Amino acid sequence: MSLGSELIAHARGAMISRLRGLPLPERHPVLSAMRAGVFVTVESIVRSGGYERREVRGSLGTVEPFQDLAYDLAKISAKLVYSIPRFTEFDLRRSVIEVTLVDGLEGWDGSLDGFQWGVEGVYAVSGSRRFVVLPQTMIERRLIGPPLLRYVESMVGVPDKLYKFKTRIFYELRPEGDVIERELWKSRVIRQYLEVMR
């Protein structure tokens, strides 16, 4: 089984355990040996007017590990699924799960020169406030280039500290279906920005 499939299966297992009131699967033969920040997102498949779209139901995570990856992923997945109002096991079977691994957290001066769009995320600290922008959010909201920094300031004010980090993003194509690693750097939105900046 690929790393992405292991991550998604573990997250789903923790969600089902939480919904059924069972103990969480905090150990895993592969993930217990790893340490990384991790974010989990649940998207429901919504069908209307002959079309199908994905709707984010919730997202939760941490840029730095608390314990090992198996433990952190189980705890975050369980907390996330419990925080979504009226979310049931039936809803989970109709939802796709995305897991984002975070690594290489480092201080950042906000310079966009050499920023790896589609790979790197941003973590801002302003007083007691903490704010994270994942690469997929940058693309979905078209926060490529200076709009990214304006967005961060609009959410937390002028940050006291800025960090950036690298990600790997794993995503179910269908509920309980095949898992792929997203290659966001190939996005049309990023290509267009880079062409303009040449």
Side-chain angles (χ1 to χ4, degrees):
M1 192 182 279
S2 69
L3 175 60
S5 297
E6 300 274 12
L7 289 165
I8 299 290
H10 192 65
R12 272 194 178 277
M15 290 177 183
I16 289 169
S17 294
R18 183 68 179 88
L19 290 169
R20 293 179 179 176
L22 300 172
L24 296 183
E26 295 174 359
R27 304 294 302 161
H28 186 279
V30 175
L31 305 180
S32 290
M34 299 174 67
R35 284 178 62 83
V38 63
F39 284 81
V40 183
T41 302
V42 173
E43 294 183 354
S44 292
I45 304 295
V46 179
R47 295 177 181 88
S48 62
Y51 292 94
E52 191 175 273
R53 62 184 169 83
R54 296 169 185 234
E55 186 177 277
V56 174
R57 295 294 303 275
S59 187
L60 190 66
T62 177
V63 292
E64 292 186 289
F66 293 111
Q67 293 190 34
D68 61 80
L69 184 54
Y71 179 91
D72 291 352
L73 181 55
K75 291 290 190 184
I76 289 166
S77 299
K79 188 173 181 181
L80 171 60
V81 81
Y82 189 66
S83 72
I84 302 172
R86 299 179 299 280
F87 195 77
T88 66
E89 204 172 323
F90 175 74
D91 295 318
L92 181 58
R93 286 198 298 271
R94 297 174 60 198
S95 300
V96 291
I97 309 297
E98 180 179 77
V99 174
T100 302
L101 295 184
V102 171
D103 193 24
L105 185 70
E106 62 177 345
W108 181 47
D109 62 3
S111 169
L112 299 175
D113 293 337
F115 189 85
Q116 293 180 268
W117 300 102
V119 175
E120 291 183 320
V122 172
Y123 175 49
V125 178
S126 182
S128 61
R129 288 179 290 182
R130 307 283 185 271
F131 187 65
V132 174
V133 190
L134 296 174
Q136 50 271 53
T137 303
M138 295 178 198
I139 289 173
E140 287 158 10
R141 300 192 178 190
R142 297 184 178 270
L143 302 172
I144 309 298
L148 170 62
L149 299 176
R150 290 197 295 270
Y151 177 66
V152 170
E153 284 197 17
S154 75
M155 300 305 286
V156 296
V158 177
D160 300 325
K161 291 182 181 176
L162 271 177
Y163 302 86
K164 64 180 182 176
F165 53 83
K166 289 198 165 42
T167 63
R168 291 183 71 188
I169 304 164
F170 300 95
Y171 190 69
E172 287 180 312
L173 293 173
R174 306 286 307 165
E176 300 179 320
D178 291 339
V179 176
I180 62 164
E181 184 167 358
R182 296 180 74 180
E183 298 177 329
L184 295 181
W185 61 90
K186 295 180 178 178
S187 161
R188 180 174 49 84
V189 175
I190 293 174
R191 282 203 317 270
Q192 288 173 344
Y193 170 74
L194 294 176
E195 284 168 9
V196 168
M197 294 306 292
R198 277 195 191 123

